[in-house]
Amino acid sequence: MNHDDSRRIPDGASFDRSGSQDSLDAMSLDDFWKEVENIHETRGNNHEERQAIVVKEPDEGELEEEWLKEAGLSNLFAESTGDSQESMVFLSTLTRTQKAAVEKRVETVTQTLRKKNKHHQIPDVRDIFRPQSDPKGKQDNSEVIARVYLLNQSQKAGREVCDRSEPSAVRTTESKNEMQDETKDLKFSLGTNEQKSPLEDMPFSETDINLEIPFAEQAANLKDNSVGKMYKDGGGDTLHTNFRLPKDKTGTTKIGDLAPQDMKKVYSLALIELTALYDVLGTEFKQQKAAKIKTKDCGLFGVPLSVLLEQDQKKVPGTKIPLIFQKLISQIEEATLETEGLLRIPGVATRVKSLCQELEAKFYEGTFNWENVKQHDAASLLKLFIRELPQPLLTVEYLKAFQDVQNLPRKKQQLQALNLLVILLPEANRDTLKVLLEFLQRVIDHREKNKMTLNNVAMVMAPNLFTFQGLGSKTIEQSEFAMAAGTANVMRFMIQYQKLLWTIPKFIVNQVRKQNTENQKKEKKDKAMKKLLKKMAYDREKHEKQDKTPNDADVPQGVIRVQAPHLSKVSMAIQLTEDLKASDIVARFLSEKSGNVQTLKKEEVFLYEIGGNIGERCLDDDTYMKDLYQLNPNAEWVIKSKQS
């Protein structure tokens, strides 16, 4: 590949020169193009050509049906929906912009169904989804539930025969009236549904990433209110702006802190919120879907992450990161991170190819001699591993969405979108990406010696993550300069703000809490009904209450009981104070000495919030316990390790 002028600075190209250390101008893009050259050279010397992944182009209706499935709402539109109460509870917790995103996709699916069922008469979706809002745009949560439920009923009716003699508008009105009684118990307020403008009293500065108010709501208010000029002008949040994550008194929730049942809800909410954010900003967001391709079922390079982990877990149970990936990183670090040009200077291509083949044969046997691997060769093997994955580390579904983050108007919104995209990645991809980004940050920490600044590392790594060979070369050929600068900026943000990216926004955690609360109400209601049908139900319930009373009485007001079944002191009553943190409670337990119990270190055990309105949540050290207790007074508090 030649570094011609058109490649480096195309006519009319524009790019942001406002970088902090070294601006992303044509000169700093040299590292990007050199890396692309190295990649082409490696591919030229490498083994057989990779089979290209075919990205399916479904029609819009199929795309939206897939979206609804991913969002956990497909049962509303299935042939036989069964009990859709849980989905209706889910819908009732959505914000204004999230509801709009769902309605938009539902409308597309409805119109597609109508085209496919021309011989049936399906009620006009415009009647079903006619906005039911007040002058300020506020909308009753029960309306979206009622309309989605009605849509489902109308689809069923459409498969039979609708009563053509009765006007659809009349039928719609009557159905809505019937549904209001069925859904009135599901109504409750979620912050932004009932507030005025969420940004009016917001105590956050321009450089703070606000995780309390939904991102799409922030964008909508920023766009509509008097700060619209700032929105159009970029608002001063340039590449130079250093964004920060304010502390949350109820504790910051990281990916991995929540139980699987709550993470499933987080995934659905993140997908809807990301879509809502893109809708508000007028940017297209579409998941891509790859056709299945034949992949290797053993080995190291060119093997799916899931297959690698299955192999590795047989050798090291509980492994979450491919062993070869971990070993290559440790090999690079053992030789010191102060080496100048680390990651940028490639290993010798023929030697890298030979090492690759030798690793394939000897790695799992434990006979590979790592002393022969030079540091730059190990770095090249690490990048080769990422590129050779049969599907990109950022996945076929979301690779384009990661690339398109650069098109969002504000840097803060780009970070918000990246945060949601990371949450949407499969666990294996997310865990591997996290280890990679943490390693890259350690390389940057030695920039005084190795001359690898944040921008340098971003430039070198972007081609390895974003120019995925299996998808063909069209993406690379089109607007190469814009793509280089844009993907390098995305890479830069992913490294610089990785702590933010692995944080689950508080507004999503709160929505999960509300869903759990409403589902518990429904379960209690169902249990109560069943008990009424059983003999002696009243006595049994009374007996259960009597059993609980003495335990409750043991804990005075403003005191919590913390359990630590694996420590010498298995239980302790803790008085809540304004400044009591989770770390203080763990420290009290660890200070209790016992010769019979193995000594545990502070970094090995954590305080957990279990039950109440959350499944299970690992608390960060800076969680203020009184504030969290007020948010979830029915929780149990348990100290344990993350492995137990």
Side-chain angles (χ1 to χ4, degrees), residues 47 70 125 141 152 185 199 320 421 454 498 589 613:
H47 36 270
E70 289 291 315
V125 73
N141 275 321
N152 178 55
D185 291 332
L199 298 183
K320 291 189 172 183
L421 280 166
L454 172 60
Q498 53 187 281
F589 274 87
N613 54 34

Side-chain angles (χ1 to χ4, degrees), residues 203-262:
F204 291 86
S205 73
E206 184 62 23
T207 57
D208 287 343
I209 300 296
N210 179 2
L211 300 181
E212 294 187 15
I213 294 172
F215 301 151
E217 294 289 332
Q218 294 181 43
N221 280 276
L222 194 61
K223 198 172 182 181
D224 296 340
N225 292 349
S226 57
V227 287
K229 288 182 181 177
M230 185 173 71
Y231 173 86
K232 290 179 182 177
D233 296 338
D237 76 350
T238 65
L239 200 62
H240 183 70
T241 306
N242 287 319
F243 297 102
R244 68 183 197 92
L245 195 62
K247 285 286 185 182
D248 176 13
K249 295 195 79 173
T250 59
T252 300
T253 306
K254 296 288 185 183
I255 295 172
D257 287 348
L258 293 181
Q261 65 266 31
D262 283 338

Side-chain angles (χ1 to χ4, degrees), residues 385-532:
F385 173 86
I386 296 168
R387 296 195 307 272
E388 286 291 303
L389 287 170
Q391 294 205 13
L393 185 60
L394 301 179
T395 73
V396 170
E397 287 78 9
Y398 296 113
L399 180 62
K400 188 173 186 304
F402 272 96
Q403 292 172 338
D404 289 345
V405 161
Q406 62 186 287
N407 299 327
L408 300 183
R410 292 169 60 84
K411 302 302 178 189
K412 185 180 286 189
Q413 290 159 351
Q414 293 175 11
L415 284 174
Q416 292 169 339
L418 283 172
N419 181 199
L420 297 170
L421 280 166
V422 166
I423 292 173
L424 292 174
L425 289 176
E427 188 175 358
N429 297 65
R430 198 169 56 213
D431 290 343
T432 304
L433 177 64
K434 186 173 191 290
V435 169
L436 174 64
L437 295 180
E438 289 170 347
F439 164 69
L440 296 178
Q441 183 57 58
R442 293 195 295 274
V443 172
I444 294 163
D445 290 341
H446 293 80
R447 58 188 172 275
E448 293 298 326
K449 296 282 187 179
N450 62 31
K451 309 301 181 188
M452 294 300 290
T453 65
L454 172 60
N455 280 356
N456 294 141
V457 172
M459 286 290 172
V460 169
M461 293 306 299
N464 292 283
L465 263 77
F466 289 100
T467 55
F468 183 68
Q469 146 187 29
L471 292 175
S473 60
K474 285 185 179 179
T475 311
I476 305 173
E477 297 297 331
Q478 296 169 358
S479 307
E480 287 195 29
F481 183 88
M483 178 184 169
T487 56
N489 271 335
V490 173
M491 190 76 227
R492 183 184 191 276
F493 271 18
M494 288 170 66
I495 299 169
Q496 185 177 6
Y497 296 106
Q498 53 187 281
K499 289 183 180 178
L500 161 67
L501 301 188
W502 262 262
T503 301
I504 302 174
K506 184 177 181 179
F507 70 85
I508 287 182
V509 178
N510 284 345
Q511 284 181 286
V512 171
R513 291 184 187 277
K514 288 180 181 294
Q515 287 180 37
N516 290 338
T517 299
E518 292 306 301
N519 282 322
Q520 286 166 11
K521 286 180 184 177
K522 176 185 175 293
E523 288 172 9
K524 286 180 182 177
K525 200 172 181 181
D526 292 345
K527 285 179 182 177
M529 291 296 290
K530 289 176 183 177
K531 283 182 179 179
L532 288 173

Side-chain angles (χ1 to χ4, degrees), residues 560-564 607-610 619 625 628-629 632-639:
I560 60 172
R561 182 162 293 281
V562 180
Q563 307 292 332
L607 180 59
Y608 279 77
E609 168 194 7
I610 300 176
L619 304 183
M625 294 307 298
L628 180 57
Y629 174 77
N632 191 7
N634 296 320
E636 295 180 1
W637 313 96
V638 179
I639 292 177

Side-chain angles (χ1 to χ4, degrees), residues 354-381:
S354 175
L355 287 169
C356 181
Q357 292 171 344
E358 193 178 350
L359 277 166
E360 290 279 10
K362 299 180 179 179
F363 178 73
Y364 283 116
E365 293 178 2
T367 58
F368 182 81
N369 186 1
W370 286 96
E371 292 180 4
N372 295 334
V373 181
K374 300 180 184 298
Q375 190 182 36
H376 289 302
D377 291 343
S380 290
L381 284 167

Side-chain angles (χ1 to χ4, degrees), residues 55-103:
V55 178
K56 293 180 179 177
E57 295 292 343
D59 64 45
E60 197 170 11
E62 290 174 339
L63 202 66
E64 308 303 18
E65 279 190 79
E66 186 65 27
W67 185 92
L68 289 163
K69 180 181 176 182
E70 289 291 315
L73 295 171
S74 59
N75 67 321
L76 291 173
F77 310 97
E79 287 284 338
S80 176
T81 60
D83 181 13
S84 60
Q85 185 84 354
E86 188 171 342
S87 290
M88 293 166 72
V89 168
F90 179 88
L91 285 165
S92 73
T93 68
L94 300 186
T95 65
R96 169 184 54 135
T97 47
Q98 289 172 348
K99 286 189 297 181
V102 172
E103 290 187 3

